[in-house]
Amino acid sequence: MTRAATHTTAVADQTNITYFDQSATQIAGVGGDGGNWNAALGGSVGAFGSIGPGAIVTGDNSAGNGGDGYFFGAMVHAPVAVYAPVNIAVAGYNSSAHADQTNNVVFDQSAFQMAGVGGDGGNGNAAMGGDVSVSGTGHGPHQTIGGAGLASDHGGTGSDVIASGGNHAGNGGDGYFYGGIVHATFAFYYPINIAVAGYNSSAHADQTNNVVFDQSAFQMAGVGGDGGNGNAAIGGSSDIFSSIFDLIGSDVIATGNNSAGNGGNGHFSGSMVDIDVAIYAPINIAVAGYNSTAEAHQTNNVQFDQSTIQIAGIGGDGGHGNAAFGGDFAMQLLSDLHLLDHA
């Protein structure tokens, strides 16, 4: 506002460059990318005899898979920004009033949350089930085996008797997040610039403000580590000859379930609450009386960040060039059940 009386000069300048973003970003429940040039292979199976369903397991291998992302929660972001600069120059009789105001203001009030993100799978990994060779000569009912391999003759076994699969190499870890982020910011910026000149007087007021309010909040939680590169997890080979397969129970021989170069899982349960309040109200006033001079200068460079950072539940990255092998297994069992008849 400028107001000039007779034989007076009133000048009011105001320059405002204002940026209000009040950003909120949430990246949650994102699965990691799979790697390149990975191999997950089931081992070869050679069987002679009647093998029960699920008796030999060489599959369930994984290599270079991206981890899953799990997110259960929310983000609450409620920023408030008040910006009202006032520039007034009033000149009386035969007087001069000059008021300048320059404002460069940035209010961001950011909130960033990255939660429940699975790690990326590695490259050039191999997960292979071990080879299995089985020969049985029992006298159980005749059965056949499903899938690869050959089954004939008699005898029977339980489920998962021989397990050389379940190997994992270079997989990204899973990310689990249960919680939320609450970010409530308040920014009050109210500069006032006034120059008033009386009779035969001069008043001069300058105000320059460079203000940045960020009030950031950052949370990274429940992030799985990336899988490594060039790792190998291989189940051991099994070479078995038995005449009493029908007496063998479940999970007797296990050379699989090996892991190499996998990224660790990230688990987070909780929340982050960030409440920021920023009040900045400079006032610049110059008043000149009769035949007098008043001058006021104000320069402010203000930056409020009020940051909060939380990093929790982060799984470590898998290594490179590692190997996990199940040992080879050889077994031969001959039936001595006839000795029980003489006991």
Side-chain angles (χ1 to χ4, degrees):
M1 181 184 75
T2 60
R3 183 178 180 180
T6 304
H7 299 292
T8 61
T9 300
V11 177
D13 294 330
Q14 189 182 64
T15 301
N16 299 302
I17 299 174
T18 305
Y19 174 80
F20 293 167
D21 187 88
Q22 298 182 329
S23 296
T25 302
Q26 183 180 59
I27 301 174
V30 181
D33 296 331
N36 301 317
W37 305 105
N38 300 287
L41 305 174
S44 301
V45 176
F48 179 80
S50 59
I51 310 299
I56 302 174
V57 179
T58 64
D60 196 22
N61 305 291
S62 60
N65 296 317
D68 295 328
Y70 301 92
F71 176 84
F72 299 92
M75 180 175 70
V76 178
H77 180 66
V80 176
V82 177
Y83 175 79
V86 177
N87 186 31
I88 297 174
V90 178
Y93 177 81
N94 196 20
S95 61
S96 177
H98 182 80
D100 292 331
Q101 188 183 66
T102 301
N103 300 300
N104 296 314
V105 180
V106 176
F107 294 165
D108 189 87
Q109 297 184 329
S110 296
F112 174 80
Q113 181 182 57
M114 183 173 65
V117 180
D120 295 335
N123 302 318
N125 300 286
M128 294 177 284
D131 297 335
V132 177
S133 176
V134 179
S135 177
T137 60
H139 298 286
H142 177 76
Q143 295 176 341
T144 59
I145 185 171
L150 175 65
S152 61
D153 206 359
H154 302 283
T157 62
S159 61
D160 295 337
V161 174
I162 304 171
S164 65
N167 304 290
H168 308 280
N171 296 315
D174 296 331
Y176 301 89
F177 177 85
Y178 303 91
I181 178 174
V182 177
H183 182 63
T185 61
F186 174 81
F188 179 85
Y189 178 77
Y190 204 90
I192 297 174
N193 186 32
I194 298 174
V196 177
Y199 177 80
N200 197 23
S201 61
S202 177
H204 182 79
D206 293 329
Q207 188 183 65
T208 301
N209 299 301
N210 296 314
V211 180
V212 176
F213 293 166
D214 188 87
Q215 298 183 329
S216 296
F218 172 81
Q219 182 181 59
M220 182 172 64
V223 180
D226 295 333
N229 302 318
N231 301 288
I234 303 174
S237 300
S238 300
D239 188 3
I240 303 169
F241 175 82
S242 176
S243 60
I244 55 172
F245 262 169
D246 53 343
L247 299 180
I248 298 178
S250 301
D251 300 327
V252 175
I253 303 169
T255 63
N257 197 24
N258 305 294
S259 301
N262 297 315
N265 296 328
H267 301 269
F268 176 81
S269 298
S271 61
M272 181 176 70
V273 178
D274 181 49
I275 299 175
D276 300 314
V277 177
I279 297 175
Y280 178 75
I283 297 173
N284 186 31
I285 297 174
V287 178
Y290 174 80
N291 198 22
S292 61
T293 300
E295 184 175 349
H297 299 277
Q298 188 183 66
T299 301
N300 299 300
N301 295 314
V302 180
Q303 181 175 348
F304 296 162
D305 188 270
Q306 296 182 331
S307 295
T308 301
I309 297 174
Q310 183 181 56
I311 299 175
I314 309 298
D317 295 335
H320 307 293
N322 301 291
F325 299 97
D328 296 335
F329 186 87
M331 180 179 71
Q332 180 175 347
L333 295 176
L334 299 177
S335 178
D336 291 329
L337 295 180
H338 65 281
L339 298 177
L340 298 178
D341 297 338
H342 304 284

